[in-house]
């Protein structure tokens, strides 16, 4: 359950916060007492932020200097930065043989390079000790899944960035972790969840036999941001209903 004193006095940035996991994470951090800056390419982020009594910022994280602009906005609003949640990203992708340069660039730029740039911009200002960087990877960044190459490679890069930065920032008291969601019921996945083939191929092999909810991912992110995770760093925690650990064979078609 949310604790309004958990992050009292602390400030957080959540990217990709207009909807889905990002919006749920911003709501959870706010409910736990943090002051939160929600950033997203979509102007809808302003309404999401207003509903939380938080601060919103419409921003293209692929633009040069966007990371610095984002961090500066947080510093101007809150005067400090304790928690950075790198959630912004896009889904989809194709087999590599069918992926043109534009598609590859789009996934690598949005899902990996923007995370590197935002994190780089935040590093000088994160609280020491006690700062947190939490990024959203994917189960597809851990285990191979055909037909998602550019997406999966970018998310695997986020997982490796997490391990690298845990080593670089740990001596300064900054913890760096990631979550790797499985099938989560969001606007990004609703089309897939309506597909019988997708449900048999991806959802039914999940031991819990259901899609996760954004709030379930947000709860793990809040844990990683909290004092309860004070000795956890460099980890990529799957929030996937057991999909990586023990996949069930799908039922026969028909």
């Amino acid at each position: 359950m949310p604790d309004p004193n958990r992050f009292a006095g602390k400030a957080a940035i959540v990217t990709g916060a207009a909807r889905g996991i990002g919006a749920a994470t911003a709501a959870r951090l706010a409910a736990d007492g943090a002051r939160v800056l929600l950033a997203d390419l979509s102007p809808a982020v302003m309404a999401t932020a207003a509903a939380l009594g938080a601060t919103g910022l419409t921003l293209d994280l692929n633009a040069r200097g966007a990371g610095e602009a984002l961090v500066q906005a947080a510093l101007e609003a809150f005067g400090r930065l304790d928690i950075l949640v790198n959630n912004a990203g896009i889904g989809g992708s194709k087999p590599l043989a069918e992926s043109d340069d534009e598609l590859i660039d789009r996934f690598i730029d949005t899902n990996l390079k923007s995370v590197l740039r935002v994190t780089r911009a935040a590093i000088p200002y994160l609280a020491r000790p006690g700062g947190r960087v939490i990024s959203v990877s994917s189960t597809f960044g851990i285990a191979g899944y055909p037909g998602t190459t550019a997406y999966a490679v970018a998310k695997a890069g986020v997982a490796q960035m997490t391990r690298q930065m845990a080593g670089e920032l740990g001596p300064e008291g900054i913890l760096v972790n990631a979550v790797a969601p499985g099938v989560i019921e969001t606007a990004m996945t609703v089309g897939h969840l309506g597909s019988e083939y997708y449900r048999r191929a991806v959802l039914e092999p999940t031991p819990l036999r259901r899609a996760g909810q954004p709030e379930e991912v947000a709860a793990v992110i809040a844990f990683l941001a909290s004092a309860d995770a004070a000795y956890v760093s460099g980890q990529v925690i799957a929030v996937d209903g057991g999909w990586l650990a023990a996949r069930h064979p799908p039922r026969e078609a028909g």
Side-chain angles (χ1 to χ4, degrees), residues 184-221:
I184 308 298
E185 191 173 345
T186 67
M188 187 182 293
T189 62
V190 65
H192 296 304
L193 290 172
S195 161
E196 177 63 21
Y197 172 79
Y198 184 87
R199 294 184 67 86
R200 287 197 305 108
V202 179
L203 189 57
E204 289 187 14
T206 300
L208 293 190
R209 301 296 201 191
R210 67 173 178 86
Q213 297 300 311
E215 293 76 14
E216 292 174 308
V217 182
V220 178
I221 292 173

Side-chain angles (χ1 to χ4, degrees), residues 42-53:
S42 170
V45 73
M46 303 306 293
T48 304
L52 297 175

Side-chain angles (χ1 to χ4, degrees), residues 3 6 18 31 38 43 82 87 94-95 118 124-125 130 149 155-156 158 170-171 189 195 199 207 228 244:
D3 175 358
R6 194 181 201 184
L38 290 74
D82 301 276
N87 169 72
K94 295 179 180 179
V118 169
Y125 305 100
T149 301
K155 290 298 188 178
V158 170
T189 62
S195 161
R199 294 184 67 86
D228 291 330
L244 282 173

Side-chain angles (χ1 to χ4, degrees), residues 106-156:
R106 184 158 57 92
F107 278 95
I108 300 300
D109 287 350
T110 303
N111 290 358
L112 178 57
K113 288 169 67 175
S114 71
V115 174
L116 290 167
R117 289 173 174 160
V118 169
T119 303
R120 180 185 64 189
I123 287 171
Y125 305 100
L126 283 164
R128 287 163 168 78
R132 302 287 198 270
V133 178
I134 303 151
S135 302
V136 178
S137 180
S138 169
T139 51
F140 288 2
I142 298 173
Y145 192 83
T148 64
T149 301
Y151 173 84
V153 166
K155 290 298 188 178

Side-chain angles (χ1 to χ4, degrees), residues 90-109:
I90 56 174
S93 194
K94 295 179 180 179
L96 184 59
E98 300 173 16
S99 301
D100 58 20
D101 287 351
E102 182 179 1
L103 184 144
I104 291 172
D105 288 345
R106 184 158 57 92
F107 278 95
I108 300 300
D109 287 350

